[in-house]
Amino acid sequence: MTKILWGGATAASQYEGGYRRRGIDTQDCRPYLEKTSNATVATRLLTKKTVEQAVEENQIFYPFRKGSNGEDRTAEDLALLSELGLDVYRLSISWSRLFPNGDEEIPNEDGIKYYDAIFKELINKKIKIFLTINHYALPLHLVTEQGGWKNRKTIDHYLKLVTVIFSHWGELIDYYLPFNEINAGYFSPYNGTGLLKPENDAYAYNDIFLSLHHQFLASAKAIALGKKMKVKGQFGAMISCFCYYPLTPKPEDNLQLVLDEQINQWFCMDVLARGEYPYYMNKFFLEHDVDFEISEADRLLLKENTCDFVSFSYYSSSISSVEESQQQTAGNLVATTKNPYLKASEWGWQIDPIGLKTTLLKVYDRYQKPVMIAENGLGARDVKETDGIHDAYRIEYFKQHFQQILEAEQLGVNVLAYFAWGIIDIVSAGSCEMEKRYGVIFVEADNQGNGSYDRYKKDSFYWYQGFIAEQRKARRKSQKVE
């Protein structure tokens, strides 16, 4: 019988709001874009000029400065998550709430009190805690003044944040994730590593992979520090997974699939779960002029501090091909060739439940460590009617994907947990809009920040509540038999 923990997830920058009570971070400078075919790409191409202009003109854009107004509704939201029956809740720390500029010596006491209340209330409600230490948002000062993750000193600033977390809540947190979707540093350098795009130029590959290397080291050092401080929780690593299919049976397309998986999907997890740079990156680095020093001390640190479990986000599958003229569609972090066998959301993300089972099998085969589905869900334009929010399409999405998870577990995959993304409606990180909703809890607000921000349960809330209750009952029954 299943032992999977069923949960929900949010991210501080998309949920909390309260930008006047913390420092400005990189997410605050991203504008909402009207939905177009490339909206989820354009918002990731912020330049130094764009960011400086936003700050100088005090033009901190709507979506992330307000989020879901979670800062002012913490008690209400935690009560709803408890009523929902979550086994585990994934949330992130706002770095700029604890260290407004990122490089202060002493953390902000109000920030400590804010998270202290959240963690203790989750414990009171018997909900396990999965904490993402850094979910994209980086204090803007570290980017504009110090170069973000390009600068090795950012590791030290990060470890100050980690030390505060371990010191205050090390006995409360069950699972730690040092970095959200760490391979986003390759696809989305501004989000992932705080790199600003040069004016009229492309990102330098060396800057991207040097920044990623510093994040790998920061992750390993966080794990080492956790061991030293004897914190309770386990440590994970996370990538975004795309479940590649070849466009045709042509050998060239199948070879391209292997290459796409290596670079786009496996590279970062190979480092964090196996503790060393994979062989296939040597050729890639040579071809892209990536050349930075990896010391023996760095290699030893990575080897001795690998993750305890692996996790991934999964929203849709992708197509690999040497043919570049195929019709494209949007997806998480990347665009892909349209698959004629799949339906898609309004935003073009192809819905593929079987791809989730395929991904679970591939990830478990490759790493042989417990697996978490750290993000999954359906973004849709939900409508509040007089008699409720009727999101039958989300319920069907859950049913199909949960069935594939349970089948993967029956095949022997050690699935630790599942997290429904944006369990409470939050600002979309891709298109920076509120009206692309993922939650089972509706937040009454629009893309311009208008609305009451009141909470309402969707039909999917009641469905997921019943599903979790059934799974928990079956789990207890199985434990009694054992």
Side-chain angles (χ1 to χ4, degrees):
M1 184 57 62
T2 180
K3 296 180 181 178
I4 301 169
L5 298 172
W6 298 93
T10 61
S13 65
Q14 296 164 257
Y15 165 76
E16 288 180 4
Y19 78 106
R20 295 189 186 278
R21 293 182 284 274
R22 56 174 172 78
I24 297 173
D25 64 36
T26 49
Q27 297 298 85
D28 289 318
C29 298
R30 296 178 59 212
Y32 159 65
L33 293 184
E34 294 291 339
K35 185 175 76 66
T36 64
S37 61
N38 69 343
T40 58
V41 175
T43 56
R44 298 195 176 97
L45 302 180
L46 272 70
T47 65
K48 188 172 188 290
K49 181 179 178 181
T50 306
V51 171
E52 287 177 345
Q53 181 179 351
V55 175
E56 287 172 5
E57 298 178 3
N58 196 27
Q59 191 181 4
I60 306 305
F61 300 102
Y62 151 62
F64 295 104
R65 71 179 183 184
K66 285 191 177 181
S68 305
N69 197 23
E71 182 189 67
D72 295 329
R73 293 177 177 264
T74 299
E76 177 185 0
D77 287 343
L78 294 182
L80 283 167
L81 297 183
S82 179
E83 181 184 349
L84 182 59
L86 293 187
D87 295 317
V88 58
Y89 176 44
R90 179 188 170 205
L91 71 161
S92 70
I93 286 278
S94 169
W95 190 337
S96 67
R97 190 179 289 277
L98 294 185
F99 294 94
N101 287 323
D103 59 359
E104 294 88 349
E105 291 301 320
I106 300 173
N108 174 21
E109 191 60 34
D110 287 341
I112 298 290
K113 291 177 181 177
Y114 175 74
Y115 290 114
D116 200 47
I118 292 174
F119 294 140
K120 288 180 178 177
E121 186 61 15
L122 287 169
I123 296 298
N124 289 339
K125 294 184 181 303
K126 296 181 170 54
I127 299 174
K128 292 181 181 294
I129 301 169
F130 180 120
L131 182 69
T132 307
I133 297 173
N134 186 221
H135 195 123
Y136 290 158
L138 181 65
L140 191 63
H141 173 80
L142 294 184
V143 174
T144 57
E145 301 302 319
Q146 301 186 29
W149 282 101
K150 260 193 317 186
N151 191 335
R152 195 176 178 110
K153 289 182 180 179
T154 302
I155 299 174
D156 298 327
H157 300 315
Y158 176 85
L159 286 176
K160 277 192 297 185
L161 172 68
V162 171
T163 301
V164 169
I165 292 169
F166 291 169
S167 299
H168 285 83
W169 307 297
E171 294 304 311
L172 304 181
I173 296 168
D174 300 279
Y175 305 101
Y176 294 96
L177 178 64
F179 293 95
N180 175 70
E181 291 181 326
I182 196 166
N183 56 335
Y186 174 44
F187 298 108
S188 177
Y190 177 79
N191 273 356
T193 58
L195 287 178
L196 298 175
K197 186 176 182 292
E199 295 290 335
N200 303 316
D201 200 0
Y203 285 108
Y205 275 85
N206 201 74
D207 288 347
I208 291 171
F209 286 95
L210 176 62
S211 298
L212 279 172
H213 181 65
H214 291 157
Q215 288 190 340
F216 296 155
L217 297 178
S219 178
K221 287 193 174 192
I223 294 172
L225 183 61
K227 293 174 185 175
K228 182 179 179 180
M229 296 180 68
K230 298 181 179 178
V231 298
K232 174 180 109 170
Q234 296 180 326
F235 288 85
M238 180 188 174
I239 54 173
S240 181
C241 280
F242 311 108
C243 189
Y244 288 99
Y245 304 132
L247 180 64
T248 72
K250 285 196 307 185
E252 290 85 355
D253 281 352
N254 282 268
L255 175 59
Q256 189 61 48
L257 181 152
V258 173
L259 299 176
D260 287 344
E261 283 189 332
Q262 285 179 336
I263 306 301
N264 300 345
Q265 193 162 274
W266 303 135
F267 160 55
C268 291
M269 190 64 82
D270 281 354
V271 175
L272 296 175
R274 293 174 167 174
E276 58 188 20
Y277 274 72
Y279 73 92
Y280 53 80
M281 294 306 294
N282 294 331
K283 182 173 184 291
F284 181 88
F285 284 169
L286 186 64
E287 291 174 344
H288 293 87
D289 297 320
V290 176
D291 185 17
F292 57 85
E293 181 183 357
I294 304 177
S295 69
E296 287 306 312
D298 288 352
R299 295 184 190 279
L300 184 62
L301 177 71
L302 294 173
K303 195 67 177 177
E304 292 183 345
N305 296 283
T306 57
C307 58
D308 300 312
F309 64 89
V310 296
S311 64
F312 62 88
S313 60
Y314 174 83
Y315 294 98
S316 57
S317 54
S318 302
I319 299 291
S320 288
S321 177
V322 292
E323 188 67 53
E324 297 181 355
S325 61
Q326 300 296 315
Q327 183 180 359
Q328 298 290 292
T329 188
N332 183 34
L333 298 176
V334 295
T336 185
T337 298
K338 191 169 184 178
N339 189 329
Y341 298 98
L342 298 176
K343 295 180 180 179
S345 74
E346 182 181 343
W347 280 263
W349 295 28
Q350 299 175 122
I351 300 170
D352 182 6
I354 293 175
L356 177 53
K357 180 167 68 176
T358 302
T359 301
L360 282 166
L361 293 170
K362 283 189 172 185
V363 169
Y364 193 57
D365 284 350
R366 191 173 185 95
Y367 300 110
Q368 293 295 300
K369 293 190 176 192
V371 182
M372 287 191 184
I373 303 154
E375 287 181 29
N376 172 252
L378 175 66
R381 200 178 298 278
D382 301 329
V383 177
K384 185 167 81 71
E385 308 282 1
T386 55
D387 60 345
I389 300 104
H390 306 303
D391 57 340
Y393 39 85
R394 182 168 290 107
I395 293 172
E396 185 60 27
Y397 181 98
F398 281 155
K399 286 180 179 177
Q400 293 179 7
H401 285 75
F402 291 0
Q403 180 60 37
Q404 297 299 322
I405 295 168
L406 294 173
E407 288 180 10
E409 186 184 42
Q410 290 168 5
L411 288 170
V413 178
N414 183 0
V415 184
L416 276 183
Y418 167 90
F419 295 88
W421 178 243
I423 194 73
I424 302 167
D425 284 347
I426 56 178
V427 176
S428 168
S431 52
C432 301
E433 59 188 315
M434 192 71 193
E435 292 172 14
K436 183 186 181 188
R437 301 175 181 276
Y438 284 87
V440 301
I441 298 166
F442 185 91
V443 176
E444 191 168 45
D446 64 19
N447 292 335
Q448 286 70 43
N450 303 312
S452 66
Y453 286 87
D454 288 341
R455 273 54 170 160
Y456 300 90
K457 301 168 194 172
K458 304 178 189 179
D459 288 354
S460 58
F461 179 99
Y462 299 104
W463 184 88
Y464 194 29
Q465 181 186 53
F467 176 85
I468 294 172
E470 289 176 3
Q471 294 297 309
R472 188 173 291 163
K473 183 179 179 180
R475 195 160 60 224
R476 285 197 294 265
K477 183 178 179 181
S478 175
Q479 288 170 348
K480 285 181 181 179
V481 171
E482 292 174 358

